[in-house]
């Protein structure tokens, strides 16, 4: 027990907890064991490895919670991972991204836009930078009808008045007289037609100001806004994939400022917003995860050798030898005795005078023997290989199963060895300069698949099945004999279809009989005078391939549809007119503020003109309290109210106050454009803030301080319902200009619900007293 390392029980408890995947408990036990024996290398290694594994486990659990929408619990898991392993970079990244997601969710629930995360001076400055050029956001989205023959600049201004925007012209733009007939068109369409007729192009400067310049290449370079965007690719594998995509974009859109970044798998582009959108469209269509297919092979190789050897193999030759006897005389010195004996002569020499005495005793005969054989040999070999390959579409894959067999290569030179007696003619030893190469023996598969959209797979296959079938001596070296079955095949199969690439059945039968002629043909007795040998060899090889598509090309309807891309010299995005839904009901044209009628052929539909600005010190006219707003439909039951809160207030000269514009009893309020009138000599509208009723809505404002008018509008985001109830829609910041009273009244309001139907509103007035 004293020899056991300290902390052994804690270490064992940690292994048990790790076995049941209780990583937190296991890490605690390993930590206690390491504290008990800090110099134990096994404890230290186990603690370090499990700390990483435990942190990774918490990160994976947090990612699952993020996918399910439980951000708070996910944040707890990520924080736990960072506590376990402070060096975990992915835990820190997930914590930051989860905090951003929680902040964005809270901002959305409170009706305010989510602020981008600021992690430094550069990030804070970047959060204030516009994401792109200004977007045109006119107050009036009514269809425009115009039939006129006039100066193109005047037509631009006429269309701009209808939409509540301002138009500016390049000093070099030469005007011309054109004829326009546009019934019920959108603002963008009307501006495009005017630009086409007037040889010009227009661009937004702010949300409600456009700039018109001559349509010349230099002018476009001077005035067209550009944006920079980094597009990260998700499915490229090799740098060649990015290069191919770059070539496609440059060829189609004639791009010059486009750079690939292989290290980050990204593309950086600087060009006009339309070209950037086209690039994003093309990349979204092409940057798809490549399809994958799992190819299942079945290789069956079977062989059987059966040898049947039965019978008695008699001798076929008899040797007759002549061996005459020779006399040998021996004498003894002790006695005078002489004896003579006859022995066979090995030299088979005999005097001629003894030929007459030859007899059968002078001949030897060697009789043949016989061998009885009863042998049965039966050998079977069965090889089954079932490899699976998962291959990316269009990428070659290789599979090698088996072993490497050495094969001698080089030059062979025969040499004569020296025998034991020191003379030539002994064992011949080859003098060789031998090198060896290794050859793959077994199953070899090369495949390149191509997955089609109709769930078919085309494959270019090369399958080779080889084995060592024997050896052969070459130059005194035993070389392996390799039997090979090779198939090269191009095939197109359905998903899951079974195809036999090649089947080879080889059968050989060899029969041989050895025995005495005649006797070997006698039934039954032939087995005593002959030997029969029968050798049967069967071999079979079968190769089966089955493709299974495990990932298809994910194409959506947006990937398959085409989009308008402008002209050859000016690639651009064209928006559908359905996207631009009306926001204000058109009203008949009225006399201009100076009392003159509209010019002949001028606009046929326009926003209700503003009333003449009152003289300094006078109160602005407005509708009496409690009267429905102009243009609002009547007879829709109990109508909602639009009033100021507070209805009266006091402000000092130079100071500001906020007056709320409150809606009561609204039903499904989606958008509310309002035209306000006030006395510009007494008060001034400095800003319009968003109220809490239409939280998250887009606010458009245009204040004309000289005429004492303010056009403000709030519209909900697309595809969201309207809001019902009561609350503050706008907060109007009013500054005192000079002492005196001033009324703030609603000249026009065109509220609509989510179905773009008008809503009736009863309006009221507010009074602001400015004191010295």
């Amino acid at each position: 027990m004293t020899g056991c390392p300290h902390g052994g029980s804690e270490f064992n408890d940690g292994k048990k907890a790790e076995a049941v995947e209780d990583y937190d408990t296991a890490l605690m036990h390993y930590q206690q064991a390491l504290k008990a024996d800090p110099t134990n290398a096994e404890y230290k290694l186990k603690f370090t490895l499990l700390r990483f594994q435990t942190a990774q486990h918490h990160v994976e659990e947090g990612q699952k919670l993020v996918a399910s929408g439980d951000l708070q619990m996910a944040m707890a898991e990520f924080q736990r991972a960072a506590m376990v392993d402070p060096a975990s970079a992915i835990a820190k990244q997930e914590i930051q991204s989860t905090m951003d997601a929680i902040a964005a969710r809270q901002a959305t629930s409170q009706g305010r836009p989510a602020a981008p995360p600021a992690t430094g001076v550069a990030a804070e400055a970047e959060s204030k930078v516009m994401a792109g050029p200004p977007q045109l956001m006119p107050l009036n989205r009514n269809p425009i009808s115009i039939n006129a023959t006039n100066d193109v600049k005047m037509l631009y201004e006429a269309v701009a008045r209808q939409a509540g925007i301002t138009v500016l012209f390049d000093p070099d733009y030469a005007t011309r007289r054109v004829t326009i007939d546009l019934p019920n068109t959108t603002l963008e369409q009307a501006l495009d037609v005017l630009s086409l007729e007037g040889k010009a192009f227009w661009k937004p400067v702010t949300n409600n100001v456009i700039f018109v310049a001559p349509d010349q290449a230099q002018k476009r370079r001077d005035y067209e806004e550009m944006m920079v965007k980094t597009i990260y690719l998700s499915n490229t594998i090799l740098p060649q994939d990015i290069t191919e995509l770059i070539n496609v974009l440059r060829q189609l859109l004639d791009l010059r400022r486009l750079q690939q970044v292989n290290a980050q798998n990204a593309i950086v582009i600087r060009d006009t917003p339309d070209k950037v959108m086209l690039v994003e469209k093309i990349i979204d269509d092409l940057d798809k995860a490549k399809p994958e297919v799992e190819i299942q092979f079945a290789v069956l190789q079977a062989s059987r050798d059966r040898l049947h050897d039965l019978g008695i193999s008699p001798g076929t030759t008899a040797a007759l030898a002549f061996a005459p006897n020779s006399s040998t005389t021996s004498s003894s010195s002790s006695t005078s005795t002489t004896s003579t004996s006859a022995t066979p002569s090995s030299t088979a020499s005999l005097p001629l005078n003894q030929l007459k005495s030859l007899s059968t005793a002078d001949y030897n005969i060697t009789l043949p023997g016989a061998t009885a054989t009863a042998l049965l040999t039966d050998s079977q070999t069965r090889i089954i290989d079932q490899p699976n390959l998962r291959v990316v579409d269009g990428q070659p894959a290789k599979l090698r199963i088996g072993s490497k067999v050495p094969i001698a290569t080089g030059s062979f030179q025969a040499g004569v060895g020296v025998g034991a007696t020191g003379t030539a003619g002994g064992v011949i030893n080859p003098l060789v300069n031998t090198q060896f190469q290794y050859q793959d023996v077994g199953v070899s598969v090369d495949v390149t698949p191509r997955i089609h959209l109709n769930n078919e797979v085309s494959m270019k296959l090369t399958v080779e099945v080889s084995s060592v079938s024997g050896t052969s001596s070459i130059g005194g070296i035993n070389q392996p004999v390799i039997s090979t079955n090779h198939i090269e095949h191009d095939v197109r199969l359905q998903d899951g279809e079974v195809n036999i690439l090649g089947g080879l059945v080889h059968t050989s039968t060899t029969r041989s009989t050895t025995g005495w002629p005649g006797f070997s043909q006698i039934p039954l007795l032939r087995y005593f005078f002959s030997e029969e040998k029968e050798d049967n060899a069967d071999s079979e090889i079968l190769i089966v391939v089955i493709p299974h598509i495990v990932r298809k090309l994910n194409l959506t309807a947006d990937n398959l549809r085409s989009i308008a891309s402008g002209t050859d010299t000016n690639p651009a995005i064209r928006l559908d007119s359905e996207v631009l839904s009306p926001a204000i009901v058109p009203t008949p044209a009225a006399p201009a503020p100076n009392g003159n009628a509209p010019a002949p052929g001028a606009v046929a539909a326009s926003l209700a003109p503003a009333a003449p600005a009152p003289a300094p010190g006078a109160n602005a006219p407005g509708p009496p309290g409690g009267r429905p707003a102009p243009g609002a439909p009547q007879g829709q039951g109990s109508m909602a109210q639009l009033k100021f809160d507070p209805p009266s207030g006091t402000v000092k000269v130079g100071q500001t106050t906020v007056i709320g514009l409150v809606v009561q009893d609204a039903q499904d309020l989606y958008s509310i454009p309002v035209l306000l009138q006030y006395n510009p000599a007494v008060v001034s509208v400095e800003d319009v803030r968003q109220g809490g009723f239409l939280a998250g809505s887009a606010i458009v404002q245009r204040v004309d301080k000289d005429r004492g008018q303010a056009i403000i509008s709030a519209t909900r985001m697309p595809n969201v319902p309207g809001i019902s109830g009561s609350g503050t829609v706008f907060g109007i910041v009013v500054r005192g200009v000079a002492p005196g009273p001033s009324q703030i009244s609603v000249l026009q309001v065109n509220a609509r619900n989510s179905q773009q139907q008008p809503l009736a509103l009863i309006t009221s007035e507010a009074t602001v007293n400015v004191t010295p």
Side-chain angles (χ1 to χ4, degrees):
M1 293 180 61
T2 58
C4 294
H6 301 292
S9 60
E10 292 287 351
F11 186 76
N12 293 331
D13 292 340
K15 291 195 293 184
K16 294 178 181 178
E18 183 182 1
V20 296
E21 297 184 356
D22 187 1
Y23 298 113
D24 291 326
T25 304
L27 184 64
M28 180 185 65
H29 286 301
Y30 288 148
Q31 187 177 16
Q32 294 297 327
L34 185 60
K35 286 183 178 180
D37 189 2
T39 60
N40 193 312
E42 183 181 6
Y43 292 174
K44 184 178 297 184
L45 179 62
K46 198 67 176 179
F47 172 74
T48 303
L49 292 177
L50 193 65
R51 181 172 62 179
F52 170 79
Q53 188 174 359
T54 304
Q56 195 68 19
H57 172 72
H58 285 291
V59 169
E60 293 173 356
E61 292 296 323
Q63 291 172 344
K64 294 178 183 178
L65 291 171
V66 169
S68 63
D70 193 350
L71 299 181
Q72 297 295 338
M73 292 299 297
M75 175 63 74
E77 290 290 341
F78 294 142
Q79 290 176 344
R80 177 63 179 168
M83 292 175 60
V84 171
D85 187 6
S88 177
I90 189 172
K92 298 176 182 178
Q93 292 173 349
E94 293 290 354
I95 288 175
Q96 184 63 45
S97 61
T98 307
M99 290 176 59
D100 297 340
I102 292 175
R105 178 178 293 183
Q106 292 176 350
T108 303
S109 62
Q110 296 175 2
R112 53 185 177 84
T119 57
V121 177
E124 184 177 359
E126 184 178 356
S127 65
K128 300 177 182 179
V129 175
M130 293 180 61
Q135 299 297 320
L136 187 60
M137 301 175 64
L139 177 62
N140 187 1
R141 276 292 184 185
N142 289 335
I144 295 176
S145 295
I146 179 172
N147 182 5
T149 301
N150 209 331
D151 186 273
V152 67
K153 287 187 176 181
M154 297 185 63
L155 294 177
Y156 269 116
E157 293 174 348
V159 171
R161 281 197 300 269
Q162 292 185 69
I165 62 175
T166 302
V167 58
L168 303 176
F169 295 95
D170 183 85
D172 298 333
Y173 180 54
T175 184
R176 64 179 62 191
R177 190 174 183 85
V178 298
T179 300
I180 296 294
D181 186 6
L182 299 176
N184 294 326
T185 61
T186 64
L187 172 62
E188 285 78 5
Q189 291 172 346
L191 293 176
D192 290 341
V193 172
L194 284 174
S195 299
L196 183 63
E197 290 287 340
K199 304 298 181 181
F201 71 95
W202 64 274
K203 60 178 293 292
V205 179
T206 64
N207 293 341
N208 53 7
V209 177
I210 65 171
F211 183 79
V212 179
D215 192 2
Q216 302 170 0
Q218 184 60 43
K219 290 294 183 180
R220 285 189 175 273
R221 286 194 293 268
D222 292 341
Y223 292 124
E224 277 191 335
E225 296 279 351
M226 288 192 176
M227 59 185 298
V228 177
K229 188 161 188 178
T230 303
I231 304 174
Y232 292 92
L233 306 175
S234 303
N235 301 289
T236 53
I237 300 176
L238 302 174
Q240 291 81 356
D241 298 337
I242 308 179
T243 303
E244 183 179 1
L245 185 58
I246 289 287
N247 293 335
V248 170
L249 296 174
R250 284 178 175 163
Q251 185 69 22
L252 292 178
L253 302 178
D254 194 20
L255 301 174
R256 295 183 295 112
R257 299 177 179 88
L258 187 66
Q259 182 64 41
Q260 70 184 72
V261 184
N262 295 330
Q264 300 297 330
N265 230 26
I267 294 176
V268 181
I269 179 175
R270 180 177 183 266
D271 218 303
T272 62
D274 287 347
K275 285 189 177 181
V276 172
M277 291 178 65
L278 289 172
V279 167
E280 289 179 326
K281 159 67 177 172
I282 296 174
I283 290 179
D284 184 63
D285 293 343
L286 297 181
D287 186 26
K288 298 288 185 181
K290 290 188 176 181
E292 296 182 34
V293 59
E294 184 170 344
I295 306 174
Q296 179 181 357
F297 293 92
V299 180
L300 173 63
Q301 187 176 7
S303 63
R304 180 174 182 178
D305 292 334
R306 185 179 180 88
L307 175 63
H308 183 84
D309 193 356
L310 180 62
I312 297 176
S313 179
T316 58
T317 60
L320 178 63
F322 175 65
N325 295 327
S326 61
S327 299
T328 304
T329 302
S330 62
S331 61
S332 176
S333 60
S334 59
T335 60
S336 58
T337 302
T338 302
S339 61
T340 302
S341 61
T343 59
S345 176
S346 60
T347 61
S349 63
L350 186 69
L352 294 176
N353 59 0
Q354 295 183 5
L355 291 177
K356 61 181 180 179
S357 60
L358 291 177
S359 64
T360 57
D362 297 322
Y363 292 92
N364 295 332
I365 187 171
T366 303
L367 297 177
T371 303
T373 304
L375 177 63
L376 177 65
T377 302
D378 193 352
S379 62
Q380 293 184 359
T381 302
R382 186 179 179 87
I383 301 174
I384 299 178
D385 293 311
Q386 290 183 327
N388 288 351
L389 280 176
R390 181 163 177 167
V391 193
V392 177
D393 179 43
Q395 298 296 322
K398 298 181 179 181
L399 176 66
R400 303 289 185 266
I401 300 176
S403 57
K404 289 182 177 293
V405 176
I407 298 177
T409 60
S411 61
F412 295 82
Q413 298 176 359
V416 179
V418 179
T421 62
T423 62
V427 179
I428 297 177
N429 295 324
L431 303 177
V432 298
N433 180 15
T434 308
Q435 299 176 349
F436 289 90
Q437 292 182 352
Y438 288 86
Q439 179 174 338
D440 291 325
V441 174
V443 178
S444 175
V445 177
D446 294 344
V447 57
T448 302
R450 175 66 67 184
I451 303 173
H452 305 282
L453 295 179
N454 58 349
N455 291 339
E456 291 186 356
V457 182
S458 295
M459 291 175 288
K460 184 175 182 61
L461 283 166
T462 301
V463 182
E464 182 176 297
V465 180
S466 58
S467 61
V468 178
S469 58
T471 58
S472 177
S473 179
I474 302 177
I477 299 178
N478 290 331
Q479 295 279 63
V481 177
I482 300 175
S483 61
T484 302
N485 296 278
H486 186 85
I487 297 175
E488 290 188 7
H489 200 47
D490 290 338
V491 63
R492 180 164 178 164
L493 302 174
Q494 283 282 351
D495 182 18
E497 182 180 351
V498 179
N499 182 53
I500 300 176
L501 290 182
L504 177 63
V505 177
H506 176 73
T507 301
S508 65
T509 302
T510 304
R511 287 190 179 93
S512 62
T513 302
T514 305
W516 290 353
F519 292 95
S520 61
Q521 306 298 326
I522 302 175
L524 297 179
L525 293 179
R526 62 190 178 94
Y527 292 108
F528 295 95
F529 299 98
S530 65
E531 178 186 359
E532 287 189 357
K533 182 183 294 184
E534 183 177 347
D535 189 1
N536 295 319
D538 296 332
S539 64
E540 181 179 0
I541 182 170
L542 188 67
I543 302 174
V544 178
V545 59
I546 308 173
H548 299 283
I549 298 176
V550 295
R551 175 180 289 150
K552 297 194 300 183
L553 187 63
N554 184 21
L555 294 178
T556 63
D558 289 338
N559 298 138
L560 300 177
R561 78 181 186 96
S562 59
I563 61 173
S565 59
T567 62
D568 183 37
T569 58
N570 183 32
I573 292 291
R574 303 300 184 194
L575 298 179
D576 292 336
S577 58
E578 298 177 357
V579 178
L580 308 172
S581 57
I584 297 180
V585 178
T587 56
N594 57 8
N596 298 326
V603 183
S606 62
L607 183 67
N619 294 331
R627 191 179 66 180
Q634 306 294 328
Q636 297 184 2
S638 58
M639 291 185 295
Q641 297 183 15
L642 185 65
K643 62 180 183 179
F644 293 94
D645 183 27
S648 62
T650 302
V651 63
K652 293 184 178 181
V653 175
Q655 294 184 354
T656 59
T657 185
V658 179
I659 300 177
L661 194 56
V662 180
V663 63
Q664 289 185 344
D665 301 329
Q667 298 295 326
D668 191 22
L669 181 60
Y670 182 81
S671 63
I672 178 170
V674 179
L675 176 61
L676 300 180
Q677 180 72 54
Y678 60 91
N679 188 350
V682 179
V683 295
S684 172
V685 174
E686 299 295 322
D687 191 14
V688 178
R689 300 174 182 175
Q690 190 180 59
F693 187 69
L694 294 180
S697 302
I699 292 184
V700 178
Q701 56 176 307
R702 180 187 178 191
V703 180
D704 189 347
K705 296 183 179 181
D706 295 333
R707 303 179 62 181
Q709 292 180 353
I711 301 175
I712 56 179
S713 174
T715 305
R716 298 270 291 165
M717 301 302 292
N719 301 324
V720 297
I723 303 296
S724 301
S726 303
T728 302
V729 182
F730 303 110
I732 304 172
V733 180
V734 179
R735 182 176 62 87
V737 176
S742 173
Q743 289 182 341
I744 302 178
S745 58
V746 178
L747 290 184
Q748 182 179 347
V749 57
N750 293 309
R752 288 183 174 271
N753 59 16
S754 59
Q755 304 300 322
Q756 298 302 318
Q757 298 173 350
L759 296 178
L761 293 175
I762 298 177
T763 62
S764 62
E765 299 177 348
T767 302
V768 178
N769 292 314
V770 181
T771 60

